[in-house]
Amino acid sequence: MEQGETFSSPAAEEKRGEPEDDFGYRLFPDRNKKPQSFLVRSLFTFHNRCQLMLRMTLDTNPYAQLLLEAMKQSGCTVFNDRHFSCENCDSCVGGGFDSATSQIVLCQNNIRHQSHMNRVVTHELIHAFDHCRAHVDWFKNVKHLACSEIRAANLSGDCTLMNEIARFKFGLKGHHQTCVRDRAIRSILAVRKVSKEVAEKAVDEVFDACFNDLEPFGRIPHSKTDAKRAYRDFQNRDRYNANL
């Protein structure tokens, strides 16, 4: 439930003899429903809580603030009402990035704590940033998906020491890399009808390059303090470039 997922509109044709890949939409049933009126949505506690936590994340979380600024610099300004949607989801996910609409889905029935909202928003904003800056083929190229999932797990705080301890996972040398790899594979399997072997192969083939792609942070933000430093460095980098 803590991981974010990346999914796309199922445009590819069904392969003969194989079940059609729904590209993760089964996990987000509200995507295909008619939008509810503001009055109806306002009556649901889950929705109100989700909106409040989202606002808190966007206003105060340095991970999210850096990504929002980076996307704006890349020509992809994010608007709260347009690019975020609080919805009910399958119990196994916390959020997702819908590349067909450039919209981040936040699972209001599963996100119950501010720290969880912070991680989900950051994870999905990394996918949105990748979508903005690169020609990502979310549909047909599993390596593209693997790369973005590696980056999201690496840079969002998903694999911080405290989060891993909370999952009762302990390790020393290389533990962060192991967590990133495992979570990337897990995310791919959640939204693509591929074998574990295919997911593992895709992750392993792009791991080094994508793990070391630290944009826009410039470093792996292992804590909120690291994220604050990265945000400050990003702002100073922009000021420096503007004076060149």
Side-chain angles (χ1 to χ4, degrees):
M1 189 166 24
E2 293 180 0
Q3 81 217 54
E5 314 297 348
T6 308
F7 55 100
S8 306
S9 177
E13 294 183 1
E14 179 179 357
K15 294 181 180 179
R16 182 173 299 178
E18 296 181 4
E20 184 178 0
D21 195 335
D22 69 356
F23 297 95
Y25 271 86
R26 68 191 179 282
L27 304 176
F28 304 89
D30 281 3
R31 292 275 83 191
N32 296 320
K33 291 182 179 178
K34 183 179 179 181
Q36 295 174 321
S37 69
F38 175 79
L39 178 60
V40 171
R41 285 187 284 114
S42 67
L43 297 176
F44 289 91
T45 303
F46 280 168
H47 190 81
N48 287 341
R49 182 180 63 187
C50 177
Q51 290 285 348
L52 289 172
M53 287 194 293
L54 170 61
R55 175 49 57 194
M56 179 67 72
T57 296
L58 299 181
D59 287 346
T60 66
N61 184 263
Y63 291 85
Q65 290 175 327
L66 191 158
L67 285 159
L68 291 171
E69 183 66 25
M71 290 190 67
K72 183 178 180 180
Q73 293 289 332
S74 298
C76 300
T77 301
V78 176
F79 298 99
N80 186 359
D81 293 339
R82 162 66 181 86
H83 294 107
F84 293 94
S85 179
C86 290
E87 301 176 8
N88 291 318
C89 310
D90 185 275
S91 62
C92 72
V93 292
F97 175 64
D98 187 347
S99 65
T101 60
S102 297
Q103 193 169 49
I104 289 172
V105 181
L106 302 170
C107 299
Q108 61 191 19
N109 55 319
N110 297 329
I111 301 174
R112 297 183 176 87
H113 306 288
Q114 188 64 50
S115 60
H116 190 189
M117 175 64 80
N118 292 343
R119 289 198 306 275
V120 172
V121 169
T122 301
H123 186 114
E124 304 310 333
L125 278 173
I126 292 169
H127 291 319
F129 176 75
D130 288 347
H131 187 67
C132 173
R133 70 168 181 157
H135 298 291
V136 182
D137 186 352
W138 302 106
F139 279 134
K140 300 176 182 178
N141 195 325
V142 69
K143 290 183 183 179
H144 285 193
L145 173 62
C147 187
S148 192
E149 292 295 356
I150 290 166
R151 281 175 33 76
N154 188 29
L155 300 173
S156 67
D158 286 348
C159 289
T160 61
L161 178 61
M162 294 307 298
N163 285 336
E164 282 292 271
I165 290 175
R167 301 176 189 122
F168 300 102
K169 293 185 178 181
F170 308 93
L172 296 174
K173 186 176 180 180
H175 182 71
H176 180 77
Q177 288 89 332
T178 299
C179 171
V180 169
R181 180 181 182 273
D182 290 347
R183 293 184 72 79
I185 292 169
R186 179 180 167 186
S187 291
I188 293 170
L189 292 175
V191 297
R192 293 293 182 274
K193 290 184 178 179
V194 298
S195 67
K196 186 176 181 181
E197 290 73 20
V198 169
E200 288 176 338
K201 184 173 184 292
V203 168
D204 290 341
E205 287 182 352
V206 301
F207 189 85
D208 288 344
C210 299
F211 183 84
N212 289 305
D213 180 359
L214 305 180
E215 285 299 314
F217 289 89
R219 69 183 77 198
I220 299 175
H222 292 290
S223 66
K224 187 174 287 188
T225 299
D226 286 344
K228 287 179 179 178
R229 290 197 188 103
Y231 185 29
R232 185 172 61 247
D233 290 346
F234 182 85
Q235 291 175 310
N236 291 335
R237 178 174 63 181
D238 287 342
R239 295 191 188 103
Y240 173 79
N241 290 337
N243 291 325
L244 289 179

